Structure formats: C-alpha cells, structure tokens
Amino acid sequence: MQAIEVTEYGDSDALEVTEREKPEPGPGEVRIAVEAAGINFADVMQRRGVYPGGPDAPYVPGMEAAGTVDAAGEGVGLDEGDRVVAMLGGGGYAEYVTANAQMLFPIPEGMSFEEAAGFPVQFLTAHCCLFGWGGLEEGDGAATAANPERASGRAERVLIQAAAGGVGTAAVQLASNAGAEVFGTASTQEKLDLAADLGCDHPIQYTDVDFRDVVDEETDGEGVDLVLESVGDDVFDRSLDAMAHFGRLVTYGVASGVPASAENRRLLFENKSVHGFHLGQASSHDPSRVMAAVPDLTSGFESGDLEVIVGETFPLADAAEAHQFIEDRESQGKVVLVPE
C-alpha cells in the first residue's frame, strides 16, 4: 500500500511517499480501506518534533480516517464494506489503516468520506470544550452552576479563537445552536465571512484590531463567559483579559509553539477558571466522557443543523503540500487527504 512517512523531524518536506505492507487487524481491531484522512495541526507539531509525547520518526502520521471496513479481527461485530470513521493513534495517512473498533463511528447518512474525515477530532474537541469542560448550557440566560453571576435573560457569551479553522468552525456552529452570543477571531475577511455564515455574531479580524477592544465594546465592559483558546503565547493572556467575572477558559492547543501559563492572582480576584483539554488523553483516561457527545453530534449532522466544513482536499501523495498549506494559514475548515 501507499503511505506517507515522516522520515525525520522537520519542515513539510520531511513527509515522503513510501510503500508498506497492509497492516493486519488484531483482536478488537478492524482494517479500514481509507477513502479520506483528516489533517490536524497536531500532525504538523508532531512532524516538527515539538508535540509532547509525539511519535519517534520515522512514522506514518494521521489521527483520523474514513473509509470502509476491509477486514475485522476477533471479537468485532462489523461487516466488510461498512462505512466508518475512526480516531487513531497514528497511521491515517495511508491507503489502509488498522483501528480499535471501540474508536469507530458509523458515518451518518448522506455524509461523504471527506466530511467524515473531518468529524471526530474537530467536533468531539469542540463539543467537549464547550459543554463537558467549558460548562456551556443551552437556555435563556438564567444563572447556572458554572456561571452564577450570569444575568437573567442574557445568553452566554463565547469567544472562539481561530473561528474559521477545523475546531473553530465546529465550535461556532455548536455554540450558536446552543443559543450563545458568539465572538470569533480570524485573520482574513474571507475567513470572517465563513464564521459569520456559521453563526458567529461578532467576527473579529485580529490582524486589524485587538479582540479585547471589540469584546469590551460589545459587552459594555463585562467580557465573555467562556473562551476556547488554542494558540498560547500572548493570545492566552489576552483571552483572560477578555473574560467576565466567573469566566471560564478552555485551552486545547499551542498553535503558536509558545506555551502560556496563568498567574494565580489573575484568576482568584475575578473568580476566573482555566481548564485544559486534550482529546487523546481524555479518550484514553475516560472514553465514556468523550464519546457521550457522539449521539448529539450524529443527530445534528443527520438533521442538517451541523456540517463539516471541508476547505481543501489534496491527493495523499501531496501530503507535504497540504501541511505547508496549513502552516501558511491558507486553510479554512478541514484539510483532507484522499488516496488516489
């Protein structure tokens, strides 16, 4: 089979096309004939060699893949040809991959393989960050345990950094559907238009204005109740500044490559809280807590209330070009690889 290998840590040209034997599924596993593989920014960080706990080179990257069941190991109740999408520990950038059957989802009716490849990581991350970790609740704005100071009759305010990215486009939809007032940042007008189309009430071009000023103006100085932050560095610090009293921040990435930390005095005097979320670690330690979101998400896809935004597809052999496309901040929504 054809696969993409990270030969050594480095730039996008470290991704090379190789030939490998098809993997054999063990007990509790299936082999998937891959029709589409999702690219995540974590793949880029692993390739650079800066992802904590990432794989040692050489390796085949890829955390999610969609396709059909090609073979099943002992104890797996799936049939050859079943359409599935899988969360993976790696190996998705290939024509075939093995996956733990417990980490598979049936592809919702009417969803393409390309869309399915953008579902698990993005939407599970967005859902968990908003609701499971961030405490966002649907409703008319009544006070909640997560935010007792919230004024009655006011929707919760949510700030989503990188609102036109893979997780961002998912989070905008989920937050908007929950009745939140959504603020979102992006770098270009085209990306802001996409976020607005998905339900972002206040698209903010962070290259032109300070998002804190926009939040301050639109909330009469109160700030937002919840922030989804994936950049680190000063974006993390400024996100804390944009939060209201009793505000919550969920951090789930360090796209800048510069980690950030919160000084406790910044939190205690305004009763702000910071939560960390990592999909892989959460799935490993408490999979039921993560997978609890699947029925809600599947229902949203089937009803048309949610959609996976596939911004660009590349042939599998052009994985290096796809990585560079993401690093150059050209991408909107999900970038997907498709074996030819």
Side-chain angles (χ1 to χ4, degrees):
M1 69 172 187
Q2 188 180 78
I4 303 300
E5 188 174 274
V6 176
T7 55
E8 59 182 2
Y9 297 140
D11 296 332
S12 58
D13 58 9
L15 293 163
E16 295 186 4
V17 180
T18 63
E19 291 291 327
R20 291 193 170 205
E21 294 295 322
K22 288 184 184 179
E24 293 297 327
E29 293 183 334
V30 301
R31 184 171 66 205
I32 299 170
V34 177
E35 297 288 346
I39 300 179
N40 296 283
F41 197 77
D43 297 341
V44 174
M45 296 184 70
Q46 287 183 354
R47 190 207 73 223
R48 293 174 180 167
V50 296
Y51 193 87
D56 295 327
Y59 68 93
V60 176
M63 299 178 178
E64 54 192 342
T68 57
V69 174
D70 178 67
E74 182 182 351
V76 177
L78 291 170
D79 297 322
E80 185 176 337
D82 284 351
R83 286 167 32 99
V84 296
V85 57
M87 286 178 55
L88 307 165
Y93 292 15
E95 292 180 309
Y96 294 88
V97 67
T98 54
N100 184 332
Q102 293 184 328
M103 302 306 289
L104 297 178
F105 319 103
I107 297 177
E109 182 102 22
M111 179 179 282
S112 70
F113 288 117
E114 290 82 2
E115 291 169 330
F119 157 42
V121 171
Q122 267 65 39
F123 275 87
L124 285 174
T125 296
H127 194 285
C128 288
C129 286
L130 286 169
F131 303 105
W133 274 249
L136 180 65
E137 297 185 23
E138 298 188 38
D140 61 1
T144 68
N147 189 0
E149 289 291 297
R150 186 167 139 208
S152 179
R154 175 174 72 74
E156 286 221 83
R157 295 166 175 148
V158 179
L159 170 62
I160 300 167
Q161 303 290 5
V167 174
T169 53
V172 168
Q173 294 177 71
L174 289 166
S176 179
N177 290 352
E181 181 180 356
V182 182
F183 295 73
T185 65
S187 60
T188 68
Q189 187 59 51
E190 186 178 8
K191 293 180 179 182
L192 294 173
D193 291 342
L194 172 61
D197 288 343
L198 296 174
C200 181
D201 302 291
H202 306 284
I204 305 168
Q205 190 162 348
Y206 67 80
T207 55
D208 291 344
V209 297
D210 190 325
F211 65 81
R212 293 174 300 181
D213 294 336
V214 178
V215 167
D216 189 61
E217 180 179 351
E218 296 294 337
T219 65
D220 293 326
E222 291 183 9
V224 297
D225 304 298
L226 174 63
V227 181
L228 267 58
E229 194 283 318
S230 60
V231 182
D233 202 8
D234 70 321
V235 174
F236 179 92
D237 295 326
R238 292 187 290 126
S239 294
L240 287 176
D241 293 338
M243 290 162 59
H245 202 83
F246 287 98
R248 299 97 64 199
L249 181 148
V250 181
T251 180
Y252 65 93
V254 192
S256 68
V258 182
S261 59
E263 184 184 9
N264 65 333
R265 288 178 299 181
R266 299 191 66 192
L267 305 178
L268 66 92
F269 285 107
E270 294 186 357
N271 293 282
K272 295 178 179 179
S273 59
V274 175
H275 303 264
F277 177 78
H278 185 279
L279 180 61
Q281 290 296 320
S283 299
S284 174
H285 286 85
D286 193 352
S288 62
R289 186 177 178 187
V290 173
M291 299 308 173
V294 172
D296 184 42
L297 292 173
T298 301
S299 175
F301 293 132
E302 292 176 343
S303 68
D305 290 336
L306 297 174
E307 62 175 315
V308 180
I309 306 300
V310 178
E312 196 78 22
T313 61
F314 290 82
L316 179 65
D318 293 341
E321 181 182 344
H323 268 227
Q324 194 60 52
F325 183 77
I326 292 173
E327 291 187 88
D328 290 341
R329 299 186 179 183
E330 298 290 337
S331 60
Q332 298 181 52
K334 188 70 175 183
V335 178
V336 175
L337 296 175
V338 179
E340 296 182 310

